[in-house]
Amino acid sequence: MFAVIKTGGRQYRVVPDDVLEVGKIAGEVGTIVQLNEVLVVGGDTPVLGLPTVAGASVAAEVLDHKRGPKVIAFKKRRRKNSRRKRGYRDEITVLRITEILTNDAKPSIGPRPKREKVAKETAKEEEAA
């Protein structure tokens, strides 16, 4: 099953366990957010929205908030000694799609537990033993 969602003025085709970078979405890292603008729900019998599918949403886990690559806008007017250089970086949210919901269902899958980091000292002790 797949879905086409719209967020940040762009459209994305998603399936469960996809990881994608979208424009900044409000939400703490590790929480589940619902994206309600679903344009198409695909599968055995695809459902097209007019403009969105009623009662459909996509649940996603917020993995990270970061900034995108630097984009430089350089303008030059030749023979006028006029130059302007501006740069900016977009705010990005990294999401993992957990499930595609229909019929106004609530998310049933919670955020994945984080892996515990093994300290280097304990790893060395285990090798010595």
Side-chain angles (χ1 to χ4, degrees), residues 8-9 14 22 25 33 42 46 51 65 68-69 72 80 84 86 97 107 109 111:
V14 297
V22 299
I25 294 177
V33 295
H65 293 292
I72 295 176
K80 306 282 194 254
R84 296 290 176 265
R86 278 187 70 221
I97 305 301
I109 300 173

Side-chain angles (χ1 to χ4, degrees), residues 20-103:
L20 59 127
E21 295 180 347
V22 299
K24 184 156 186 177
I25 294 177
E28 295 294 320
V29 174
T31 60
I32 299 291
V33 295
Q34 273 190 291
L35 307 170
N36 294 322
E37 284 194 76
V38 178
L39 305 175
V40 176
V41 175
D44 295 335
T45 57
V47 179
L48 300 176
L50 296 170
T52 60
V53 178
S57 64
V58 172
E61 177 186 359
V62 178
L63 298 179
D64 192 16
H65 293 292
K66 64 181 187 177
R67 298 179 77 193
K70 183 178 278 189
V71 177
I72 295 176
F74 183 78
K75 296 182 181 181
K76 179 179 180 184
R77 294 168 194 90
R78 59 188 184 153
R79 298 184 302 271
K80 306 282 194 254
N81 196 21
S82 173
R83 292 182 296 217
R84 296 290 176 265
K85 182 178 178 181
R86 278 187 70 221
Y88 72 93
R89 296 174 71 185
D90 284 334
E91 299 291 327
I92 292 176
T93 300
V94 181
L95 299 175
R96 177 186 292 122
I97 305 301
T98 56
E99 56 188 331
I100 298 170
L101 306 165
T102 56
N103 301 329

